Each structure stands twice: as structure tokens, then as C-alpha cells.
Amino acid sequence: AQSVTQLDSQVPVFEEAPVELRCNYSSSVSVYLFWYVQYPNQGLQLLLKYLSGSTLVKGINGFEAEFNKSQTSFHLRKPSVHISDTAEYFCAVSAFMYSGGGADGLTFGKGTHLIIQP
Amino acid sequence: EAGVAQSPRYKIIEKRQSVAFWCNPISGHATLYWYQQILGQGPKLLIQFQNNGVVDDSQLPKDRFSAERLKGVDSTLKIQPAKLEDSAVYLCASSLRGRGGYGYTFGSGTRLTVV
């Protein structure tokens, strides 16, 4: 089984400032890692994902995340935020499957509400 | 390509009534998932199908929730009888061949309010 901890329920940041949203996970098996964004009254949109290879992953809207296996972390960063980045951000993991067909549903954290202040 | 379709978009029912949600995944996606997202929380997996077989339903409250995926395409999720705590957004997602690395595509969800 997997678990995801997003330590910050809310992060206020001034516009054009950098931001980091923290995510730690726990798993007894290898995992894939994801960050999703959810705007008010909308569905989940994939920001980025880590499958393998380079530990620095770049996503949409200028976001990037770094996988740290020793610290079991996958923190999300953006060097300069815009008012339009105000949303709920979810970190999620799924079990790595060597072959298709296993139980690989996503386990989500509780989310971090990013608030951009003008 | 067309996305994951869900209906209805909104539903309001009284407690103890029954309700059903429908999902049509992306064409060719063998794996389908139902999630429950309570306000202020992250989505929680309820059930995963591979074609028309259940892979994981460990978090499905089977005394009141049921789901099926006939013919390995569309799926329905039913709640009977509904409780106040079932108020949530129910999300459907699909993926290719059950491998998360190929990506999960989410529908817009059905917002259920139980009064």
C-alpha cells in the first residue's frame, strides 16, 4: 500500500515570487509519482509525472518537480507564480507495474491550496 | 481524442434514496477507475476495473456501493441507500492497459449532494 503526505494545506505566495509545494510518500513497492492541479469546480489536470530516468521533471505552466528517492519526496516548484496559478494541487502515487493488469489506482494526498496574493 | 465522459454533471437526492452515475472511458482504455472526492480532500480510489473484471475494490463500501462494467467499456456506479456522508464528487478515470506510466485521464466528475 502507498500513502502520500502533503504537509501544507495552504500556501500563500505573492505574485511573481517562487513557490515550493511539498510532497512525501511511503510505499513498499516502486511507484510512479504525479502532480495534479484542480481549478475551482473543474476536473483534475496533470501537471507532470515521474516514471524513471532524470529526477528533475518539467511539466506544464512552468512547473517542475524533483524526485528524491532517499527522502521519498517529490516537491513541486515554480520560479515565479502568476495569479492564474491559484488552485488546489494534489500529489499522487501509483504502484509501478512490470506488466499491465495489476492494481495501480492513484493514492492522493489531501491537497495544498496555493493562494497567490497580488 | 474524446475525453472521459461522465453523467450526470450534478445530482441532488434525499438520504436513503438510490443514485447511479455513468462513465464512458477513452476508446481503447482497458482500465477504468472510480474515485470519491469529498470536499477539501484528495480523491480516494473506490474501485478499479481491468476490462470487465474487478482488480481492486478494497475501499468500496460494499454494503451500499456497487459498480459494474459490462462488456469492458461503459461503467456505472450505484449508491443504495445514500447517506449524508456520500455527498462528494465522483470521478471516473481510465488508463491504457493498466499501466500508470501511460497516464490517467479523468472525467469532469458528478457532484452528488445528499440532503
Side-chain angles (χ1 to χ4, degrees), chain A:
Chain A
Q2 298 88 39
S3 67
V4 177
T5 301
Q6 291 182 248
L7 292 167
D8 305 305
S9 60
Q10 204 166 263
V11 173
V13 182
F14 287 107
E15 198 169 12
E16 299 183 5
V19 69
E20 178 180 84
L21 305 184
R22 296 180 293 168
C23 172
N24 288 88
Y25 71 92
S26 173
S27 177
S28 56
V29 300
S30 297
V31 295
Y32 294 131
L33 296 152
F34 304 80
W35 275 97
Y36 285 86
V37 59
Q38 188 172 42
Y39 299 102
N41 297 315
Q42 293 190 29
L44 290 163
Q45 181 181 4
L46 179 67
L47 277 177
L48 48 80
K49 61 184 176 182
Y50 173 79
L51 308 180
S52 64
S54 173
T55 57
L56 184 62
V57 180
K58 294 189 183 301
I60 63 171
N61 301 340
F63 284 94
E64 63 180 33
E66 187 158 17
F67 169 56
N68 187 319
K69 189 174 182 180
S70 62
Q71 296 185 8
T72 59
S73 68
F74 191 54
H75 300 332
L76 181 70
R77 302 186 185 100
K78 187 169 183 177
S80 176
V81 296
H82 189 266
I83 197 77
S84 60
D85 293 323
T86 297
E88 194 79 17
Y89 290 80
F90 294 98
C91 181
V93 301
S94 69
F96 171 79
M97 290 289 146
Y98 288 95
S99 60
D104 70 340
L106 287 162
T107 298
F108 286 85
K110 292 185 176 180
T112 297
H113 188 198
L114 179 60
I115 303 168
I116 310 301
Q117 301 169 326

Side-chain angles (χ1 to χ4, degrees), chain B residues 1 3 5 16 30 41 43 59-60 76 78 87 91 102 108:
Chain B
E1 66 180 359
R16 292 189 288 274
Q41 299 182 21
Q59 299 188 89
L60 186 73
T76 57
K78 297 178 182 177
S87 293
L91 297 165
Y102 288 94
S108 297

Side-chain angles (χ1 to χ4, degrees), chain A residues 6 9 35-45 87-92 106-113, chain B residues 6 9-11 21 33-47 59-61 65 77 79 83-93 106-114:
Chain A
Q6 291 182 248
S9 60
W35 275 97
Y36 285 86
V37 59
Q38 188 172 42
Y39 299 102
N41 297 315
Q42 293 190 29
L44 290 163
Q45 181 181 4
E88 194 79 17
Y89 290 80
F90 294 98
C91 181
L106 287 162
T107 298
F108 286 85
K110 292 185 176 180
T112 297
H113 188 198
Chain B
Q6 289 189 248
R9 192 79 170 88
Y10 304 94
K11 189 76 176 177
F21 313 125
Y33 315 80
W34 282 103
Y35 292 84
Q36 178 193 57
Q37 185 177 19
I38 293 173
L39 186 65
Q41 299 182 21
K44 182 183 81 171
L45 178 69
L46 293 176
I47 189 168
Q59 299 188 89
L60 186 73
F65 286 64
L77 176 69
I79 308 175
K83 292 185 176 182
L84 295 176
E85 58 261 37
D86 297 332
S87 293
V89 176
Y90 291 85
L91 297 165
C92 180
F106 283 84
S108 297
T110 296
R111 183 178 297 275
L112 173 68
T113 303
V114 182

